[in-house]
Amino acid sequence: MLINKAYKFRLYPSKEQETLIAKTIGCSRFVFNRFLGQWNDTYQETGKGLTYSSCSAELTQLKKEFVWLKEVDSIALQSSLKNLADSYTRFFKKQNKAPRFKSKKNPVQSYTTKVTNSNIAIVNNKIKLPKLGLVRLAKSREVEGRILSATVRRNPSGKFFVSILVETDVQPLKKTESSIGVDLGITDFAVLSDGRKIDNNKFTCKMEKRLKREQRKLSRRG
C-alpha cells in the first residue's frame, strides 16, 4: 500500500544559499499575491475565478517583465501558483475561506518545490535542491521512499528547515480477528479484558509529589 510520509530536518545553508532562499520565498510570495489580486478581481466581476493553466502561461510572460523572477527556482513559483489555484477550488466548494494575501511579516516563511528529473535528492548528509545545489542538513534518520517535494522554511529565529514528502510502500498489518477491551482505572492506568494491567507509576508519582507540596502549603498557613 502506497502512502505519503514526511521527514523534517534542520538545514545549514551557506550565506549565498541563505540569500537565494530569501529571494525564492519573496518571489513565490510575489507570484501568489499578484495572481490572487487578479483572481479576486475576476471573481468580483464574473463570480468565477481564473484557471491555473491561464495563470501559468501568464507567469511565463511575467518573467520577461520582472527578470529577477528568473533568478530563483521556477518550480517553486509554479507551486505557489498551484497552491493558489487549489485554495480557490476549495473556496468554491465551500471547504475553506477565500485565500488571503501573504505578508512578509509572517513569522514563518517558506516555499515548496517539486521533483523533476531527480532535481531533489539526498546525498550523504546533504540535500540537493533546485538552484541551491547541495545544502548541508542534520539527517537524523534515513529517508525511505520516492521523493515527491520539498518545502524549505525559515522560522522567526532565522533557522532553516526542510520538509521532504515521499511516497513509500507500507505493508498493512495482518488482521488477527481478535479484539480486546480497555478499562481505565485509578489504581491502575488501564486494565485489559485479558487480565493484563498497565501501571500508572509515573502518574501516581507525579500526583504524590503534588499532594505533598500542597500539604506543606496548607501546614504553613495553619
Side-chain angles (χ1 to χ4, degrees):
M1 178 175 64
L2 292 176
I3 65 168
N4 288 348
K5 183 177 180 179
Y7 296 85
K8 183 178 180 180
F9 302 108
R10 174 84 180 272
L11 277 182
Y12 295 93
S14 64
K15 291 298 182 181
E16 292 78 9
Q17 290 170 333
E18 285 186 15
T19 300
L20 188 51
I21 289 174
K23 285 184 178 180
T24 308
I25 290 173
C27 289
S28 297
R29 182 176 58 246
F30 170 82
V31 168
F32 185 95
N33 289 343
R34 183 181 178 91
F35 283 99
L36 174 56
Q38 294 181 201
W39 220 297
N40 288 343
D41 292 341
T42 302
Y43 177 67
Q44 291 177 357
E45 294 172 3
T46 67
K48 299 179 181 180
L50 302 174
T51 65
Y52 169 73
S53 299
S54 63
C55 291
S56 180
E58 186 176 342
L59 176 58
T60 301
Q61 298 301 316
L62 199 64
K63 291 179 180 179
K64 297 179 181 179
E65 179 181 355
F66 302 101
V67 292
W68 37 268
L69 290 175
K70 297 180 181 180
E71 297 177 11
V72 303
D73 177 14
S74 61
I75 302 175
L77 302 184
Q78 291 290 344
S79 295
S80 183
L81 191 56
K82 186 66 166 60
N83 289 339
L84 171 60
D86 291 344
S87 183
Y88 241 109
T89 296
R90 292 192 295 271
F91 167 67
F92 285 132
K93 293 180 179 180
K94 298 182 178 180
Q95 296 176 346
N96 58 237
K97 295 181 181 180
R100 296 183 297 178
F101 290 99
K102 293 186 177 182
S103 171
K104 62 181 179 181
K105 294 182 180 180
N106 286 343
V108 178
Q109 300 285 337
S110 67
Y111 75 86
T112 298
T113 185
K114 298 181 179 179
V115 168
T116 302
N117 299 325
S118 303
N119 59 344
I120 303 175
I122 301 296
V123 183
N124 298 322
N125 291 323
K126 295 182 180 179
I127 181 171
K128 184 176 74 170
L129 292 168
K131 291 284 186 174
L132 294 177
L134 294 174
V135 186
R136 189 165 63 89
L137 81 165
K139 191 174 69 172
S140 55
R141 52 179 171 162
E142 294 297 326
V143 176
E144 299 178 351
R146 182 173 67 91
I147 297 177
L148 301 175
S149 65
T151 298
V152 178
R153 291 183 175 87
R154 183 186 61 209
N155 68 11
S157 66
K159 295 178 180 179
F160 294 88
F161 297 87
V162 62
S163 295
I164 306 168
L165 184 66
V166 305
E167 183 182 68
T168 184
D169 190 12
V170 175
Q171 297 300 322
L173 297 175
K174 294 181 180 180
K175 295 182 178 180
T176 62
E177 304 300 335
S178 63
S179 59
I180 193 168
V182 179
D183 181 25
L184 298 179
I186 298 177
T187 305
D188 298 295
F189 175 73
V191 179
L192 308 183
S193 58
D194 61 2
R196 287 181 293 164
K197 296 181 179 181
I198 300 177
D199 199 1
N200 61 356
N201 285 338
K202 184 177 180 180
F203 176 77
T204 303
C205 181
K206 182 178 180 180
M207 293 308 295
E208 283 180 349
K209 290 181 180 178
R210 182 176 178 182
L211 179 60
K212 290 178 180 178
R213 186 166 59 248
E214 296 300 326
Q215 285 176 335
R216 286 196 297 269
K217 288 182 182 180
L218 184 61
S219 64
R220 287 196 294 269
R221 291 173 183 172

